[in-house]
Amino acid sequence: MRGCVLLSFLLSTASLAGTTLYHIVSEQELATLTKDNVYTPLNFAKEGYIHFSKLSLIHYYANELYKGESAKKLFLLKVTFSDDDINLKWIGDNPDYYIGLDLSMVEQKTQFIKDQNNQWILPEQGL
């Protein structure tokens, strides 16, 4: 009996851990592409998903997708998805979310800053 209780506890806490992922968005995109507190990027109609990333790839994506002055303010959205979220799908190392993002799911919104080389960076504290 104790083994069953322990196994039940382990299974229930495993699903609480979830998967933390990140999405980059400009202030303008977030303001203009959010309706009823649900953010849906422009390419969603074409692609059918919102691309998320692991933290280790964020600097690369920020500086490739938002080069130069294409965005005045850039934010990183941190979201932890439950492991059983059927709308989060992985193709290799690429996590994609197949519905609009309810902004109540965002745990943290961190603003990027530009360094002396005009590269987007995140503040050292807070992630």
Side-chain angles (χ1 to χ4, degrees):
M1 177 68 174
R2 241 179 17 200
C4 290
V5 171
L6 179 59
L7 179 60
S8 175
F9 172 76
L10 291 174
L11 290 174
S12 67
T13 56
S15 64
L16 294 176
T19 301
T20 301
L21 297 170
Y22 301 86
H23 178 75
I24 302 168
V25 63
S26 73
E27 180 179 49
Q28 181 182 7
E29 291 169 324
L30 196 56
T32 60
L33 302 176
T34 298
K35 183 178 178 186
D36 298 328
N37 208 41
V38 176
Y39 163 71
T40 308
L42 280 177
N43 60 354
F44 188 86
K46 179 182 173 187
E47 296 176 344
Y49 59 83
I50 301 171
H51 180 71
F52 277 82
S53 179
K54 298 175 185 176
L55 188 58
S56 61
L57 298 173
I58 288 301
H59 288 102
Y60 170 78
Y61 287 137
N63 287 294
E64 284 300 309
L65 299 175
Y66 295 92
K67 286 182 180 179
E69 294 300 318
S70 65
K72 302 287 185 215
K73 282 188 181 178
L74 198 58
F75 293 99
L76 183 65
L77 306 181
K78 176 182 176 183
V79 179
T80 299
F81 296 94
S82 68
D83 290 333
D84 58 355
D85 190 327
I86 61 170
N87 296 303
L88 182 67
K89 297 181 173 119
W90 291 75
I91 299 178
D93 285 341
N94 300 311
D96 298 316
Y97 196 56
Y98 284 81
I99 60 172
L101 178 65
D102 186 327
L103 294 180
S104 67
M105 295 172 63
V106 175
E107 298 169 36
Q108 186 174 354
K109 180 173 93 172
T110 305
Q111 185 175 339
F112 283 85
I113 55 176
K114 292 271 188 141
D115 68 7
Q116 66 273 14
N117 298 316
N118 206 32
Q119 295 286 304
W120 292 109
I121 61 170
L122 289 166
E124 291 184 25
Q125 74 283 358
L127 291 180

